[in-house]
Amino acid sequence: MKFTLSWLKSHLETDASVDEIAETLTDLGLEVEGVTNPGDTLRPFRIGYVEAAEKHPDADRLKVCRVRTAAGVKQIVCGAPNAREGITVVVAEPGTYVPGIGTTIRVGKIRGVESHGMMASEREMELSDEHDGIIELPSGEVGESFADWLAANEPGKVDPVIEIAVTPNRPDALGVRGVARDLAARGLGQLKPRDAAPVEGTFPSPVGVTIDEGARGACPVFYGRLIRGVRNGPSPEWLQRQLKAIGLRPISFLVDVTNWFTFDRNRPLHVFDAAKVKGDLRVHLAEGGERLVALDEKEYEAIPGAVLISDDDGVESLGGIMGGEATGVTDGTTDVFLEAAYFDPVRTALTGRALRIHSDARYRFERGIDPEWTPEGIEHATRMILDHAGGEASEVVVAGTIPETARSYAFDPCRLRTLVGMDVPEAEQRAALEALGFRVEGGQAHVPPWRPDVQGDADIVEEVARIASLAKLEGVPMPRPAGVPEPVLTPAQRRERAARRQAAALGYAEAVTYSFVAGQDAEAFGGGGEAVRLDNPISSEMSHLRPSLLPGLLRAAARNQSRGRMDLALFECGYVFDGGEPGEQRLTLAGLLVGRTGPKDVHGEGRARDLFDAKADLEAVLAAAGAPPRAQTFRDLPGWWHPGRSARLGLGPKATIGTYGELHPKVLEAFGVKGPAVAFEAMLDAIPLPKGKGPSRGALEMSNLQPVERDFAFLVDDKVAAQDVANAAQGADRSLIESVRVFDEFRGLEGGKKSLALAVRMQPKEKTLTEDEIGRVSDAIVAKVGRATGGVLRG
Amino acid sequence: MDDLRGRWLGEIAEAGDEAAIEDVRVRALGKKGEVALRMRELGRMTPEERQVAGPALNALKSELNAALAARAAALRDAALEARLAEEWLDVTLPARRRPEGSIHPVSQVTEEVTAIFADMGFGVAEGPQVEDDWHNFDALNIPWHHSSREEMDTFYLAAPEGRRPHVLRTHTSPVQIRSMLENGAPLRKICPGRVYRADYDQTHTPMFHQVEGIAVDRDITMANLKWCLEEFCGAFFEIEPKGLLRFRASHFPFTEPSAEVDIRCSWEGGALKLGQGDDWLEILGSGMMHPKVLEAGGIDPAQWQGFAFGMGIDRIAMLKYGIPDLRAFFEADLRWLRHYGFSPLAVPSLHAGT
């Protein structure tokens, strides 16, 4: 919402400066987005007086002038035809930036004669296109600021434009008068009365109006009247200037009047060319499919329930949104039918949204105008038309009744203290409400009809607080729990943090990538269904909720690789989506390792990352998240993993807590990642939370007896899992065998066999082991491994 | 005797290796060594002579033994020194690589915010990112036809027939409703998390992070809200909280009264400094919870009242750490993650500083 200072002052008697007004508006909740002051660029220009002007010795068209300026008498060379002795002029002294020519004035020689400044034209100061000569002022003292002179003599030329952001609850502030009312309530001036005497109609309106029974909710009231014999044409200069200042294009006087009331009073109006209206006007709801070419010259098709205004020829206007072209006013219009109606906010919003029409009228009706000002609005507009365009007004035709807005809420002066925490005397609170148009009576505040947003006691408190200024609110400490605050994080939240910091400690950089990915990226990881599709994605790259963190990480890896970072370790911790219902989300942590462990180095330690790197990191992250140490390994992973080099860890066949392995080469190719790449995912939500056992760790048992370590080498079939062999060995004597570690694998032996070497550590608890006892355990290991995996001890 | 001592000490000093030392020892102190032979002669001496020669010989024996040991040690030291000299390495070669990871500023700042509010008794609540339209709008006093629904640039999910489409939550406020329904009053919670709006330009990304805070009690006021936010901003930005914030009237459907909150700042010399100067920078929105919102949360507004606020986590991260571009938060450029990221060991806490 834009308006000029002088426009505001036509409603508000005030001496406040534009800065003061802007600050106050922002404090009142009408946030100032900008103030454009044309006077600002004129600030350095000062008034001067030409004492003498002589012809330039070397140029016929130039004159050498002696000009009295703020800095004394100066010699200025000037080419303007009207430069002559005895005129009052506007001087740009050396150092002044002249906006119209984009130059800073310097002392210079013009055809050999020194010139100490410039005398300016209107165009050079961007005041108008006038450039026939330099400005001659009818008054003004030498040295006086030209901007000040303009403000005093031609204020329209330096009228500051104020732009405010109006929140959706304040339709009244979409009119300059509403803005002025807020300022007056704050005490920044007096609201000026601006009444218009009603215009007595001299003949019955030849155009009648009816509202269909079914449309009374959508358009409860319609005031209209015909004015005949008007002279349309360009608006008077003040009106054109006000409209231009706020960015509107003057069209013709009659149209400009409707636009002006839209901004002056938040009172949209419409004018029909009465000569083009056939018969009476009828307000009704659309059945759907009715067509209309609107004033923006576009054709629209009404949705069912839209408010239409029709005559005998058909639909002529989209009520509350935009008039029709066929009955639009032109320069040749002599008889005009003026409409002031009230349209329901919800209906207006729905129609406007469906037809995608953004008009100033729609914007206001859908937020809510003052319905009670409808009869006054039509009188004000009639008066303005008669004053400038002449003509004769008919009687007013009225259809429907003004909708009831009267309501009141408790006004309890104590609430300001108990809800906001401010102290303002009751009389002041009451005065603020009354200045805003509330009627305070018997403990009730009656809401003015222009404030549809006020819907309860809290709103009354807000109005008082707003006018008193929230800037004055002083903080008051909240009661706090006595003593040391208790921890607030849930076990799940603590676990997420631990997992995240563990991943970073393992060398991964944490990324945060978008929760939506391209459809094909989602599909590549088993997602991308209709349930997770966005209806209005911002681009096709962000069309589906992610089924996994890996597509986002892979895209990030490809971007980094394209910048020359070939080896990388990235992780993300966030939600992935199994479906499109609230709650169908899982917290996971995924890590991606691409390339080598590091660049070539002097220690020769760099190597390609493999799945065991991912497995180690997964195990560390799971441990940090409190997962039980022993999980089963399953090799049945979906197709985006390498079929032979990937697995999942589960606490049962279905309770997957992690996946790890190499990604499928085709997936890497699709994502543009130069592989190989290994990854892991930890399903943090799937890890059971620890049962409340308290902080105690339990007793530590440590034996002083020497442990014994024995190595075994088994020959097994190539596809036998090392874990099965180790588990079998461990099972040979659970009390004595402390650990079994696979320390060597040799594949490709005769008959499809491989050799696995195990280090078994036995820890006696009561007495040192004898060779016999060690032998017995060894035999049990060999037997157990043989039974479980078919492995035989290698000779 | 002096001659004997001088000779053997000389030989020991000249012994060049372990074998030479052993050879000297055998010849001097061995069973048939010169000193041993001299000892044997003691028996043939007069008692008077023996009284002089005996101790002298014993002393000589000790001295030679010590000299032999010292010589052997000196030789070992010399050998070690020679070996160490051989073992010279270029210590300026690069060290072994240790992997170095980092924590994203969004995670770090979320933990910082949590630490500060936890001290004031706020717990952490979370909620779904796909929301139904009731939790995201209606319950927050934004009816279905309200113009602010349009202004929020909501992302909608493709809707099955017969119901309103679910949305990607446009704010963390639906978590308010869920926490109230779950916990009732009194209540103090913050709700951090991802939110979504269909907007992408210099200063907007379609996904960003918010933290919502609510406090519900019998007599919580807006003045408490201001104190709470001042304390938070003071602790978070590590500046003096008094006079740091300015409230100004505004409007949010879910609060009444509503206030935009500005933080004091200076732009002197083109650099933003918070907590000084006379300029103000909008930092968050807040207000007293609307009675209808309390009702939607199952709390009787005649008995309870509360405040709510919401701010951008990414935004306060940018302000605190001088991060210029929001879009870069989500691009996962390793150079950016390294530069703006945090050590995994830098866990924010109140006692160590956030």
Side-chain angles (χ1 to χ4, degrees):
Chain A
M1 166 78 186
K2 282 184 184 175
F3 52 89
T4 66
L5 181 62
S6 66
W7 196 341
L8 177 69
K9 284 186 172 180
S10 71
H11 288 283
L12 185 72
E13 189 70 57
T14 184
D15 296 327
S17 70
V18 70
D19 289 343
E20 216 176 324
I21 288 169
E23 264 174 44
T24 309
L25 286 172
T26 295
D27 181 63
L28 284 165
L30 303 174
E31 188 179 352
V32 172
E33 301 209 299
V35 177
T36 325
N37 195 341
D40 288 347
T41 54
L42 299 180
R43 200 48 64 193
F45 292 88
R46 294 183 174 276
I47 293 174
Y49 179 80
V50 183
E51 290 188 334
E54 286 159 12
K55 200 183 83 62
H56 190 289
D58 284 330
D60 289 346
R61 299 192 173 199
L62 296 180
K63 296 198 183 83
V64 181
C65 306
R66 261 204 352 260
V67 184
R68 196 138 46 82
T69 73
V73 178
K74 299 286 177 189
Q75 174 170 290
I76 296 176
V77 178
C78 180
N82 63 333
R84 64 188 192 281
E85 185 181 322
I87 60 173
T88 302
V89 295
V90 180
V91 178
E93 288 164 34
T96 301
Y97 177 78
V98 182
I101 52 174
T103 305
T104 300
I105 298 299
R106 286 190 175 73
V107 179
K109 278 189 179 172
I110 300 176
R111 295 243 178 153
V113 178
E114 277 201 355
S115 181
H116 294 261
M118 186 183 100
M119 292 182 278
S121 71
E122 292 211 342
R123 192 169 79 188
E124 282 158 348
M125 288 183 288
E126 294 187 325
L127 287 172
S128 74
D129 290 336
E130 177 61 49
H131 193 53
D132 289 344
I134 54 175
I135 295 176
E136 292 178 36
L137 295 180
S139 61
E141 294 300 313
V142 168
E144 184 184 351
S145 150
F146 178 53
D148 291 346
W149 186 90
L150 278 177
N153 294 278
E154 294 179 42
K157 289 188 171 161
V158 284
D159 202 0
V161 178
I162 300 169
E163 180 167 14
I164 56 173
V166 179
T167 50
N169 62 323
R170 292 294 308 278
D172 64 304
L174 295 173
V176 179
R177 188 157 189 87
V179 176
R181 187 185 295 114
D182 260 27
L183 288 168
R186 173 57 74 79
L188 218 67
Q190 296 286 323
L191 201 58
K192 289 181 184 171
R194 278 261 304 258
D195 301 324
V199 177
E200 206 61 42
T202 54
F203 60 97
S205 170
V207 178
V209 179
T210 57
I211 303 173
D212 278 12
E213 195 54 44
R216 290 282 165 100
C219 175
V221 70
F222 189 120
Y223 277 65
R225 98 189 311 179
L226 187 123
I227 305 168
R228 67 186 177 203
V230 299
R231 295 176 313 276
N232 198 13
S235 292
E237 204 205 315
W238 70 265
L239 178 54
Q240 291 203 28
R241 203 169 50 223
Q242 283 195 350
L243 294 178
K244 277 187 201 161
I246 64 167
L248 290 182
R249 186 169 54 91
I251 294 166
S252 69
F253 175 65
L254 292 172
V255 175
D256 293 351
V257 167
T258 64
N259 286 335
W260 188 78
F261 275 100
T262 299
F263 283 86
D264 187 58
R265 293 283 190 153
N266 188 35
R267 176 60 262 192
L269 301 165
H270 182 60
V271 282
F272 295 89
D273 186 332
K276 298 173 190 161
V277 176
K278 297 282 173 297
D280 291 339
L281 293 175
R282 174 181 150 239
V283 182
H284 61 103
L285 298 186
E287 285 171 10
E290 295 92 335
R291 292 179 166 276
L292 171 76
V293 178
L295 283 168
D296 61 4
E297 297 172 10
K298 291 184 194 151
E299 188 175 16
Y300 295 97
E301 190 179 311
I303 55 158
V307 181
L308 300 179
I309 301 170
S310 301
D311 66 2
D312 292 352
D313 281 347
V315 180
E316 301 296 2
S317 178
L318 285 165
I321 296 178
M322 196 175 276
E325 197 187 25
T327 51
V329 161
T330 63
D331 283 353
T333 299
T334 56
D335 296 348
V336 60
F337 187 78
L338 179 62
E339 164 202 318
Y342 179 85
F343 297 97
D344 175 63
V346 175
R347 185 74 58 150
T348 309
L350 287 181
T351 307
R353 234 182 266 178
L355 301 186
R356 296 172 197 271
I357 302 180
H358 297 277
S359 68
D360 290 323
R362 172 197 161 188
Y363 193 73
R364 284 164 174 75
F365 280 119
E366 71 183 17
R367 283 162 176 74
I369 68 160
D370 175 1
E372 287 191 23
W373 208 70
T374 309
E376 282 173 74
I378 203 162
E379 295 298 345
H380 276 248
T382 307
R383 174 63 65 198
M384 188 164 168
I385 291 172
L386 294 185
D387 284 354
H388 293 280
E392 195 183 350
S394 80
E395 289 159 7
V396 174
V397 287
V398 183
T401 50
I402 293 171
E404 189 59 55
T405 58
R407 63 196 184 282
S408 67
Y409 303 102
F411 166 56
D412 174 3
C414 297
R415 274 307 267 159
L416 189 64
R417 161 124 293 277
T418 58
L419 187 66
V420 180
M422 276 174 98
D423 281 317
V424 174
E426 180 177 347
E428 229 172 273
Q429 295 193 30
R430 185 180 290 266
L433 287 173
E434 282 168 353
L436 290 173
F438 289 79
R439 188 163 51 82
V440 182
E441 216 172 69
Q444 292 281 305
H446 297 262
V447 184
W450 56 80
R451 289 302 299 273
D453 59 306
V454 176
Q455 297 286 344
D457 311 1
D459 302 72
I460 305 289
V461 179
E462 174 174 57
E463 288 308 297
V464 174
R466 196 169 67 82
I467 298 303
S469 180
L470 288 177
K472 292 183 187 156
L473 183 63
E474 294 280 343
V476 172
M478 282 165 83
R480 298 165 57 115
V484 178
E486 282 180 28
V488 301
L489 294 186
T490 62
Q493 289 163 346
R494 283 207 297 274
R495 169 167 87 183
E496 176 188 340
R497 288 167 175 231
R500 175 182 279 122
R501 290 195 181 269
Q502 175 66 78
L506 291 168
Y508 292 77
E510 186 185 13
V512 174
T513 68
Y514 289 111
S515 302
F516 18 62
V517 297
Q520 85 243 20
D521 288 6
E523 276 164 30
F525 284 84
E530 183 66 7
V532 290
R533 183 174 67 80
L534 294 191
D535 195 42
N536 56 336
I538 203 155
S539 82
S540 61
E541 302 301 300
M542 301 183 174
S543 60
H544 288 75
L545 292 177
R546 58 185 182 189
S548 157
L549 300 173
L550 292 175
L553 291 176
L554 284 169
R555 289 281 169 210
R559 284 196 298 275
N560 279 294
Q561 285 191 329
S562 72
R563 293 186 207 103
R565 292 268 190 168
M566 304 316 285
D567 306 321
L568 39 91
L570 284 172
F571 88 96
E572 179 165 6
C573 181
Y575 286 96
V576 299
F577 301 85
D578 297 330
E581 289 296 317
E584 288 183 335
Q585 60 181 31
R586 285 183 293 117
L587 185 65
T588 63
L589 188 155
L592 175 68
L593 294 169
V594 183
R596 300 176 60 80
T597 53
K600 286 192 287 251
D601 72 13
V602 66
H603 311 294
E605 288 175 350
R607 57 170 173 79
R609 264 117 171 202
D610 60 33
L611 81 95
F612 300 106
D613 292 313
K615 183 179 182 181
D617 295 341
L618 170 63
E619 286 173 347
V621 168
L622 287 176
R630 297 183 75 82
Q632 282 175 271
T633 304
F634 301 91
R635 301 193 64 132
D636 54 346
L637 278 194
W640 53 89
W641 296 98
H642 186 305
R645 297 188 174 179
S646 62
R648 64 187 175 93
L649 299 179
L651 299 175
K654 294 235 167 96
T656 302
I657 55 171
T659 55
Y660 65 93
E662 248 180 71
L663 289 166
H664 198 289
K666 281 190 178 170
V667 169
L668 297 183
E669 195 187 338
F671 282 82
V673 173
K674 291 170 199 71
V678 294
F680 72 85
E681 291 170 294
M683 308 346 187
L684 300 180
D685 285 341
I687 300 169
L689 286 169
K691 309 238 162 26
K693 281 186 298 196
S696 170
R697 297 295 176 86
L700 172 63
E701 281 173 31
M702 285 193 295
S703 170
N704 288 327
L705 302 172
Q706 187 75 15
V708 175
E709 193 156 308
R710 285 284 185 277
D711 294 349
F712 299 82
F714 288 102
L715 266 182
V716 292
D717 284 345
D718 190 54
K719 292 284 164 70
V720 166
Q723 193 179 36
D724 294 342
V725 178
N727 284 347
Q730 178 98 48
D733 187 332
R734 294 212 172 268
S735 72
L736 211 50
I737 297 176
E738 187 186 74
S739 67
V740 177
R741 192 163 43 85
V742 179
F743 70 89
D744 192 38
E745 184 204 35
F746 189 80
R747 295 179 67 181
L749 294 177
E750 215 173 303
K753 300 277 182 186
K754 68 179 171 187
S755 158
L756 285 175
L758 273 53
V760 176
R761 189 179 174 91
M762 302 168 216
Q763 175 63 62
K765 298 198 173 89
E766 281 150 17
K767 56 183 179 54
T768 308
L769 290 175
T770 64
E771 273 308 317
D772 274 0
E773 284 164 328
I774 295 170
R776 268 201 303 281
V777 175
S778 298
D779 291 347
I781 289 172
V782 173
K784 196 92 196 273
V785 168
R787 271 200 307 281
T789 67
V792 294
L793 201 60
R794 215 177 159 195
Chain B
M1 196 70 134
D2 279 348
D3 166 60
L4 191 65
R5 179 174 171 275
R7 192 152 41 77
W8 283 114
L9 283 179
E11 280 209 42
I12 289 169
E14 272 160 33
D17 54 28
E18 291 282 339
I21 290 173
E22 181 57 14
D23 175 55
V24 175
R25 193 191 63 78
V26 170
R27 284 192 289 115
L29 304 175
K31 275 182 185 160
K32 292 178 181 168
E34 193 174 2
V35 177
L37 293 177
R38 287 286 188 90
M39 296 275 239
R40 254 181 246 164
E41 285 169 15
L42 284 176
R44 293 198 289 270
M45 288 181 188
T46 65
E48 291 74 24
E49 280 173 332
R50 201 166 25 213
Q51 233 163 25
V52 177
L57 272 175
N58 271 328
L60 177 64
K61 191 179 169 188
S62 301
E63 190 181 1
L64 291 184
N65 262 325
L68 282 164
R71 180 64 188 153
L75 281 176
R76 278 197 304 277
D77 283 355
L80 182 63
E81 246 165 68
R83 196 186 94 216
L84 294 182
E86 280 295 303
E87 285 173 355
W88 183 94
L89 288 180
D90 181 353
V91 295
T92 66
L93 286 176
R96 290 210 158 73
R97 271 174 44 86
R98 291 262 182 281
E100 218 178 298
S102 58
I103 293 287
H104 196 282
V106 165
S107 300
Q108 186 77 7
V109 167
T110 303
E111 289 194 25
E112 292 176 5
V113 169
T114 306
I116 297 167
F117 279 108
D119 187 62
M120 293 191 272
F122 287 78
V124 180
E126 289 159 291
Q129 296 181 11
V130 172
E131 267 296 4
D132 58 51
D133 143 284
W134 186 81
H135 281 95
N136 196 72
F137 294 124
D138 299 70
L140 294 161
N141 194 31
I142 311 173
W144 61 274
H145 53 76
H146 198 282
S147 55
S148 64
R149 280 203 186 189
E150 244 187 315
E151 286 170 15
M152 273 196 183
D153 300 314
T154 310
F155 278 117
Y156 293 94
L157 285 165
E161 288 297 317
R163 66 156 170 76
R164 300 195 146 271
H166 291 330
V167 302
L168 294 188
R169 66 179 180 195
T170 55
H171 40 201
T172 41
S173 311
V175 190
Q176 285 185 17
I177 303 294
R178 291 179 181 275
S179 335
M180 283 191 285
L181 289 171
E182 196 181 318
N183 302 291
L187 184 67
R188 287 185 196 185
K189 288 278 183 198
I190 57 166
C191 330
R194 292 184 174 203
V195 298
Y196 304 89
R197 303 216 184 149
D199 202 356
Y200 191 72
D201 60 32
Q202 195 81 30
T203 53
H204 297 89
T205 48
M207 177 188 90
F208 56 103
H209 297 77
Q210 267 190 351
V211 58
E212 187 90 1
I214 54 168
V216 181
D217 215 322
R218 300 274 179 198
D219 49 9
I220 292 256
T221 67
M222 207 165 183
N224 294 144
L225 166 66
K226 185 166 186 193
W227 174 84
C228 176
L229 291 174
E230 275 180 340
E231 288 297 306
F232 165 74
C233 287
F236 179 78
F237 293 112
E238 298 172 338
I239 43 184
E240 167 62 38
K242 199 82 193 133
L244 184 58
L245 298 182
R246 178 178 80 172
F247 274 37
R248 87 191 131 71
S250 188
H251 167 75
F252 307 105
F254 26 88
T255 48
E256 192 85 49
S258 306
E260 292 275 14
V261 180
D262 299 334
I263 189 164
R264 184 182 291 281
C265 69
S266 124
W267 290 100
E268 218 178 282
L272 174 66
K273 285 204 188 72
L274 297 179
Q276 14 187 305
D278 291 315
D279 279 329
W280 297 94
L281 183 70
E282 192 176 308
I283 185 172
L284 63 98
S286 69
M288 298 305 290
M289 294 174 76
H290 197 289
K292 287 186 183 166
V293 174
L294 288 167
E295 263 168 34
I299 290 175
D300 178 5
Q303 302 289 319
W304 303 92
Q305 59 190 41
F307 67 63
F309 61 83
M311 65 187 136
I313 292 177
D314 331 68
R315 179 164 162 72
I316 59 173
M318 289 167 81
L319 287 175
K320 181 170 178 177
Y321 294 109
I323 308 175
D325 186 358
L326 175 64
R327 292 172 299 187
F329 274 68
F330 311 118
E331 280 166 9
D333 186 316
L334 275 171
R335 295 165 298 182
W336 191 93
L337 297 176
R338 287 262 154 78
H339 183 79
Y340 291 111
F342 293 82
S343 155
L345 298 181
V347 182
S349 70
L350 286 187
H351 56 278
T354 56

